[in-house]
Amino acid sequence: MAVDLTRVQPPLKVYPPKPNQFLLKLIRLVTPFWLRGQCGIKQIETRYIDRLVEATKKFQDGKSRYLLAFRHPTTDDPFAMLYLLAYAVPEQAREMGIKLTKTPHSSFVYDRGISFWAGEYINWLFPALGGISIFRGKLDRAALNLMRKQITNGKEPLSMAPEGGTNGKSELVAELEPGIAQIGFWAAEDLQKEGRTEEMLIIPVGIQYEYSAKAWGAIDQTIITIEKECGITKPEITPNTRYQRLYDLGSYLVQWVSDYYKTFYSSYASTDTKITDTDDLATRVQDLADRILRVAEMNFGIKSKGTAIDRCRRLEQAGWDRIFRNDIKDIAQLSQVERNFADQLALEANYSNWHMKIAESIIGVTSDYVRQHPSPSRYVEVLKLMWSVLQRVTERDQESVFKETPSFGDRKVIISVAEPLSVSDRLPEYQSSRTAAKECTRKLTEEISNSLNNLIVRSTL
């Protein structure tokens, strides 16, 4: 059962990893069936797996430690990573004549808030698989310490998604957070302090999905459904009019929502930027996201600074601080008046972050992603982002057509491994000064991003 975020809750618990080998074996067994049945993935393509085989052999021989930096376009990516380690790597190792001491696995980092919408079972399942939960909106020292210990002394490597949350686009890498590069340097320093000689590596892993031409019918029907719910009536879609219909629909939604926020939240959502109806859609989307975030920030008394994603994370944490109360020892001991005030605070925090969630979904919508390469995959990904915005807007309407995400048919997943990046080789320069440390972290983050971009395979359709 999902947590009721409209009522006061006890402080969030931290669940340390407690690997369960029996459960891990069971999850490995069902992963191929889950990918086919639940994720709709009927074809799996792997590329450059030999790179991960060699790194894994070195890890198991005590010659290296490594972090896996994987792409995160969808919520299905963890199953792709499970397949990579449990099936693709062992198979490639056999072909290469390399004997691994055991089936590879990795611990992983996940957002503590996943259990709010997925259910409480996450709080025992993920730790049992080696998961380390992290609070993304604040400096989570406990999680960072667990991650460093896992990297340097764990029986398995650690996997992280440097993009943070899902970005919804298989063929576009979002701006990376510098955390994975920084943790890599910290781990290299930890190894050095212990007098150990293992090489510290970061290995980028690309994950992308591709839809077939069979998706065109569902794509057109989804555009028509959204138009209908917006009160728009137009003739049938043809291949020649499809992109313009999608662009016009996106433009209409951005304009309508912008007008709504300007009308009802004018004092909250005002900015110095002058945006007109003729501006590029991407510019208007970013301006709209900024205005929406300002509404939530005003409610929480938070200053607008940093990237849109940074602002979303701070707002998320501010909401949690008002819902999961560390200052209340026992909720059951509250008087009726105290309890109702606490519930009201939680309700207001949740409603304020409703705006943040809308902005978070809008951020991923771009105007040129489809235009640059109008494949079924890109149409589907942009439509899913639009659908998620409307799903959040209409979440209180039990009869909403946006409650269930439309199916676009079967997919192919492509999993690729980049050349390992040596953190150890960069450590002397990193340690030379504070300025050098910042620059090395920036450069390594950029190299990880470039590696992930170079792994992208443009869809063939």
Side-chain angles (χ1 to χ4, degrees):
M1 180 182 290
V3 178
D4 184 358
L5 299 179
T6 65
R7 294 183 179 275
V8 65
Q9 300 292 340
L12 283 169
K13 295 180 181 178
V14 175
Y15 298 90
K18 293 182 179 179
N20 183 313
Q21 292 303 315
F22 173 77
L23 183 61
L24 176 57
K25 289 180 180 178
L26 181 62
I27 294 295
R28 283 171 174 161
L29 283 174
V30 303
T31 292
F33 304 101
W34 186 271
L35 285 169
R36 286 196 294 270
Q38 296 298 317
C39 303
I41 294 171
K42 297 299 188 284
Q43 184 181 352
I44 300 174
E45 179 183 334
T46 57
R47 304 163 67 236
Y48 315 123
I49 307 302
D50 57 298
R51 296 166 175 171
L52 187 52
V53 170
E54 291 170 353
T56 301
K57 177 61 175 173
K58 289 180 180 178
F59 180 94
Q60 294 184 352
D61 289 345
K63 297 178 181 179
S64 72
R65 311 292 295 184
Y66 67 78
L67 270 165
L68 290 172
F70 67 94
R71 281 291 326 276
H72 200 12
T74 78
T75 55
D76 295 326
D77 307 330
F79 300 103
M81 288 296 292
L82 270 169
Y83 180 89
L84 169 66
L85 294 169
Y87 291 90
V89 170
E91 181 179 344
Q92 182 66 40
R94 286 191 291 271
E95 290 181 8
M96 296 169 65
I98 294 176
K99 187 174 182 180
L100 301 177
T101 57
K102 60 179 180 179
T103 302
H105 182 59
S106 77
S107 290
F108 56 94
V109 179
Y110 69 97
D111 174 25
R112 179 63 180 81
I114 288 178
S115 63
F116 299 166
W117 56 266
E120 281 294 313
Y121 76 93
I122 292 295
N123 292 328
W124 63 262
L125 176 62
F126 279 13
L129 297 176
I132 298 172
S133 65
I134 190 168
F135 293 95
R136 297 187 297 175
K138 64 179 182 180
L139 181 60
D140 192 343
R141 296 185 185 279
L144 289 172
N145 288 333
L146 281 173
M147 289 156 63
R148 289 172 70 168
K149 289 178 181 177
Q150 177 63 37
I151 296 168
T152 55
N153 297 309
K155 295 180 180 179
E156 311 290 352
L158 183 68
S159 293
M160 295 177 64
E163 291 170 288
T166 58
N167 81 332
K169 301 188 187 75
S170 288
E171 297 177 31
L172 182 66
V173 178
E175 182 179 352
L176 302 192
E177 298 175 357
I180 192 165
Q182 182 61 74
I183 290 169
F185 280 118
W186 285 341
E189 285 188 316
D190 291 341
L191 292 170
Q192 185 184 67
K193 289 174 184 176
E194 294 178 17
R196 293 163 58 178
T197 59
E198 298 105 308
E199 183 180 16
M200 181 64 214
L201 305 171
I202 293 179
I203 306 175
V205 177
I207 301 174
Q208 64 182 99
Y209 303 87
E210 187 176 303
Y211 288 85
S212 71
K214 295 178 181 179
W216 285 125
I219 289 168
D220 292 345
Q221 185 56 51
T222 301
I223 294 173
I224 292 169
T225 298
I226 298 175
E227 288 175 336
K228 180 181 177 182
E229 294 303 309
C230 292
I232 300 170
T233 303
K234 289 190 175 183
E236 286 189 13
I237 297 174
T238 67
N240 291 331
T241 63
R242 184 180 290 125
Y243 175 73
Q244 193 61 46
R245 289 281 284 272
L246 178 66
Y247 184 91
D248 290 346
L249 179 57
S251 185
Y252 169 84
L253 286 169
V254 169
Q255 189 60 50
W256 194 95
V257 178
S258 293
D259 291 343
Y260 177 86
Y261 273 88
K262 289 175 184 177
T263 301
F264 297 104
Y265 298 96
S266 57
S267 59
Y268 287 67
S270 60
T271 68
D272 296 329
T273 308
K274 300 298 181 183
I275 301 295
T276 68
D277 298 352
T278 58
D279 276 304
D280 176 71
L281 180 58
T283 302
R284 292 159 58 200
V285 166
Q286 296 311 310
D287 177 71
L288 175 57
D290 177 46
R291 290 179 182 276
I292 297 174
L293 287 173
R294 285 175 183 272
V295 174
E297 287 165 342
M298 183 72 75
N299 290 341
F300 286 119
I302 296 174
K303 290 184 178 180
S304 302
K305 63 178 183 178
T307 66
I309 294 298
D310 291 337
R311 293 164 69 186
C312 286
R313 296 290 72 79
R314 281 198 301 274
L315 286 166
E316 181 180 64
Q317 187 61 49
W320 291 0
D321 290 342
R322 287 160 174 75
I323 297 169
F324 301 93
R325 301 283 295 278
N326 291 309
D327 59 323
I328 299 176
K329 292 183 179 180
D330 186 355
I331 292 175
Q333 297 302 313
L334 294 176
S335 68
Q336 186 175 3
V337 172
E338 291 172 326
R339 176 63 181 264
N340 278 277
F341 265 103
D343 282 344
Q344 182 64 29
L345 183 65
L347 180 66
E348 291 174 1
N350 190 55
Y351 280 165
S352 292
N353 267 345
W354 179 86
H355 297 284
M356 179 274 289
K357 291 175 183 176
I358 299 296
E360 189 177 35
S361 296
I362 286 174
I363 289 166
V365 179
T366 55
S367 60
D368 57 354
Y369 183 63
V370 172
R371 180 181 56 78
Q372 290 172 347
H373 186 60
S375 65
S377 300
R378 293 198 180 195
Y379 268 96
V380 168
E381 288 174 341
V382 168
L383 282 170
K384 280 188 172 183
L385 286 170
M386 293 175 66
W387 194 275
S388 71
V389 174
L390 296 168
Q391 204 168 49
R392 291 188 189 281
V393 170
T394 62
E395 62 186 3
R396 290 190 291 274
D397 182 0
Q398 297 302 312
E399 303 300 320
S400 171
V401 299
F402 300 111
K403 219 164 181 54
E404 298 294 330
T405 303
S407 171
F408 295 94
D410 298 338
R411 297 179 291 170
K412 176 174 81 170
V413 62
I414 303 172
I415 309 171
S416 311
V417 179
E419 288 285 359
L421 301 171
S422 176
V423 183
S424 299
D425 288 350
R426 296 165 172 81
L427 189 59
E429 183 182 353
Y430 172 88
Q431 294 176 322
S432 62
S433 69
R434 286 188 177 183
T435 302
K438 289 182 180 179
E439 182 62 13
C440 284
T441 303
R442 185 195 66 77
K443 284 183 178 179
L444 182 54
T445 301
E446 186 177 311
E447 288 185 62
I448 295 169
S449 180
N450 290 338
S451 293
L452 291 172
N453 271 301
N454 291 335
L455 290 174
I456 291 174
V457 180
R458 177 174 284 196
S459 49
T460 56
L461 298 173

